[in-house]
Amino acid sequence: MASKSSPVSGSAGGSEDALSGSPKPKINRTRTGCFTCRRRRKKCDEAKPACKACVKTNVFCEGYPPLTIWGNPRRVARPRCMAPELPFLISGLESTLHRRLFYHFTHVMSRVLTTSSDDSNPMNSIVTPLALADPTLMHTLLSLACSHLLNLQPVGMSPELSGERNRLHQKALHTQTQRIEALKRTAAVIASQSLSQDRDAIFATSLLLCLYEICEGTGGDGWRAHLQMAREVLNITSTATMNPFLLEFFLYHDSLATVTVPSSTPRINCPTNLSDQNPSLVGVQDGLIEYVTRISSLRSEAGPGSFPPKYGIINKALEIWEDLFRWKPKVTLCKDRELIAQFYQWALFIWLFSIVYPNGKSDPLVQSAVKDMAVRMSEIKSGDGVMACLLFPLFVVGSAAIRQEDRNAVTKHFKRVRAWSSLGNVDLTFEVVKRMWEDHDAGQPRSWDWVIQLERHGMSLLVT
């Protein structure tokens, strides 16, 4: 007969446990985690509306299965006096998905839209309260968060999220168009002060719709239409009564819009009341943004002409250079703001130089500036608030880069900005830069003229 196996004759681990008398630790497994963690085989803390594991990894939390209560089927359930869960505090965000999108905007996306990356971020302190009282602004905010969240995930991973993005965006777009027309009709008969609350929400909606196009990065010109709508809202009443942050945000984007769409149309001037608040972006309060519109007007007047330019162009360029040379910040800046202000100053110089010398990209003055900026941009760390304003100077430096080591540095910085912001517009901007590199290497004239590049490929770009 075969002898019976000893109870301790199994694995080494089992033998050791039996001899020591200590039982194996019990593994508690739950089957109530969110769908996302269960599919990814990750531990879920079951927080609601979205678990912390999904929030931490920027993954869409798909929610939880319905609770199943097991018991005697013959037992009659007692009626409940109260709902099993408290409703969500914010009105209009009843679904788990909308709560997730709201949380993503306030805790993730808002921090890449201004230079304020802490709780003082005006996207939260100003825009979010307006959205609570305005359903159209809330729909726009949620669609923007949806677009941003999709950029963080592999293409095609969340068809439900993509469908909700389109539905929210179309709904907000339709309502916004109607109420701007209504605002125009009523502004003539209603005192402007009585329109201030609604006007701020309508104005903010147009700005967020513009951001939606930036986040999507499709190369279309929808962002121009939304900036125009915002301008029409401003034209109804004085800029002095507009919320200072919203006005600063508009002026920044409206001015940088002229970089790729040269225009001699007068822009809305920066009111003096903006100096009473902390700057949320670079260039508006310190006057640098004014040089953008002046150089754009000069580019519009010069056109894609041949070298040398007319004397009138040369004379105006010298006037801009003299003012840019003497420019100093109005207040003392911290290190990172001082550094990015210098980047803007030098980027404006390179842009101005390209108008006077259309084929002067190889000039030692330009290449020295490109090398210094490409190296010093590494001093701005991922997570620094000023990363929100780095795209414009990076775009200009990239357009002028001809040495491979400089192009490698520019490529690295584009990847950093894209990883930090997850805005589709960054990819589009880098694509334009690479095409300018190809034109330069092929010996094409005016290879750093991005206006020609965009027109040739039928693209529209806002470098913010």
Side-chain angles (χ1 to χ4, degrees):
M1 283 180 69
S3 61
K4 292 184 179 180
S5 299
S6 170
V8 295
S9 63
S11 64
S15 175
E16 187 175 327
D17 289 340
L19 291 173
S20 63
S22 59
K24 290 184 178 181
K26 184 179 180 181
I27 300 176
N28 294 322
R29 300 184 183 274
T30 64
R31 300 186 184 278
T32 55
C34 75
F35 289 113
T36 305
C37 288
R38 291 167 69 179
R39 188 178 66 254
R40 299 175 68 219
R41 300 181 182 275
K42 300 293 183 180
K43 184 176 180 180
C44 181
D45 63 358
E46 302 182 24
K48 297 180 180 180
C51 75
K52 293 179 181 178
C54 289
V55 172
K56 185 176 180 180
T57 55
N58 281 325
V59 174
F60 173 57
C61 186
E62 299 177 16
Y64 302 87
L67 182 63
T68 303
I69 301 176
W70 300 95
N72 190 338
R74 292 172 293 182
R75 187 176 179 179
V76 179
R78 295 180 180 178
R80 292 181 176 179
C81 298
M82 297 294 294
E85 292 183 354
L86 290 174
F88 193 59
L89 184 63
I90 306 300
S91 177
L93 300 179
E94 288 80 10
S95 72
T96 302
L97 174 57
H98 285 188
R99 297 172 199 171
R100 172 73 176 104
L101 295 175
F102 183 78
Y103 185 92
H104 181 79
F105 180 85
T106 56
H107 289 73
V108 180
M109 189 177 189
S110 62
R111 299 178 184 273
V112 305
L113 298 177
T114 74
T115 57
S116 302
S117 56
D118 53 20
D119 292 338
S120 65
N121 190 320
M123 275 291 170
N124 288 333
S125 62
I126 294 174
V127 175
T128 300
L130 286 173
L132 262 62
D134 188 270
T136 304
L137 179 56
M138 179 61 78
H139 291 154
T140 308
L141 183 151
L142 296 178
S143 68
L144 176 58
C146 213
S147 174
H148 190 253
L149 198 55
L150 282 166
N151 286 345
L152 292 167
Q153 301 184 7
V155 176
M157 181 177 178
S158 300
E160 177 193 4
L161 201 60
S162 179
E164 187 63 9
R165 173 201 59 187
N166 297 338
R167 189 189 70 82
L168 288 167
H169 178 248
Q170 289 301 319
K171 186 174 183 179
L173 193 61
H174 177 72
T175 308
Q176 177 72 351
T177 303
Q178 289 183 328
R179 64 182 188 169
I180 284 184
E181 293 301 321
L183 184 64
K184 293 178 185 178
R185 292 192 299 267
T186 57
V189 294
I190 300 178
S192 60
Q193 292 298 327
S194 65
L195 293 172
S196 59
Q197 183 67 24
D198 290 340
R199 186 201 56 203
D200 281 354
I202 295 174
F203 188 64
T205 301
S206 288
L207 296 180
L208 261 60
L209 285 170
C210 177
L211 285 177
Y212 176 89
E213 300 297 334
I214 292 174
C215 190
E216 288 289 292
T218 61
D221 60 356
W223 59 268
R224 295 174 62 183
H226 297 306
L227 281 180
Q228 178 59 33
M229 285 186 178
R231 190 179 298 108
E232 291 175 358
V233 175
L234 278 180
N235 289 335
I236 292 175
T237 55
S238 172
T239 57
T241 60
M242 179 61 68
N243 179 279
F245 162 68
L246 296 178
L247 184 56
E248 180 188 17
F249 200 83
F250 167 77
L251 291 172
Y252 177 79
H253 289 81
D254 191 52
S255 298
L256 285 177
T258 66
V259 172
T260 54
V261 186
S263 172
S264 58
T265 304
R267 319 306 287 184
I268 296 175
N269 295 325
C270 180
T272 56
N273 66 326
L274 286 186
S275 59
D276 298 333
Q277 69 160 13
N278 293 327
S280 301
L281 295 163
V282 174
V284 179
Q285 295 187 34
D286 55 27
L288 271 175
I289 217 74
E290 297 175 7
Y291 295 101
V292 173
T293 56
R294 289 176 64 183
I295 296 175
S296 174
S297 179
L298 184 68
R299 170 62 178 82
S300 178
E301 182 179 351
S306 58
F307 180 81
K310 297 179 180 178
Y311 174 73
I313 300 297
I314 298 174
N315 192 43
K316 290 180 180 179
L318 285 172
E319 291 177 358
I320 296 174
W321 176 86
E322 289 175 0
D323 293 340
L324 187 61
F325 177 79
R326 291 194 297 263
W327 176 87
K328 299 293 181 184
K330 298 176 182 178
V331 295
T332 303
L333 303 176
C334 59
K335 180 182 177 181
D336 55 350
R337 283 185 175 271
E338 182 179 5
L339 185 59
I340 200 165
Q342 292 175 2
F343 291 161
Y344 270 65
Q345 190 177 20
W346 276 94
L348 290 167
F349 168 77
I350 293 174
W351 184 18
L352 185 63
F353 190 94
S354 72
I355 297 174
V356 179
Y357 296 95
N359 293 307
K361 183 189 290 191
S362 302
D363 190 283
L365 288 175
V366 174
Q367 291 308 307
S368 177
V370 168
K371 181 178 179 180
D372 290 345
M373 290 176 67
V375 170
R376 297 206 64 191
M377 281 183 178
S378 298
E379 297 179 27
I380 296 179
K381 306 302 181 184
S382 296
D384 290 348
V386 294
M387 285 278 288
C389 299
L390 189 60
L391 190 59
F392 165 66
L394 179 58
F395 174 65
V396 176
V397 169
S399 73
I402 58 177
R403 291 190 292 256
Q404 190 58 48
E405 57 266 31
D406 295 334
R407 291 180 178 180
N408 291 341
V410 168
T411 300
K412 181 188 71 173
H413 295 316
F414 266 109
K415 290 181 178 179
R416 283 202 309 135
V417 174
R418 179 60 172 85
W420 176 78
S421 70
S422 298
L423 297 176
N425 203 44
V426 179
D427 295 331
L428 182 63
T429 305
F430 187 37
E431 184 64 31
V432 174
V433 168
K434 289 189 290 185
R435 289 180 179 180
M436 287 190 280
W437 291 349
E438 292 172 359
D439 284 354
H440 174 82
D441 295 343
Q444 294 288 338
R446 302 177 65 97
S447 60
W448 59 349
D449 192 328
W450 52 74
V451 176
I452 294 177
Q453 188 72 237
L454 291 169
E455 290 176 349
R456 181 186 305 159
H457 296 282
M459 300 167 62
S460 183
L461 176 66
L462 178 58
V463 285
T464 62

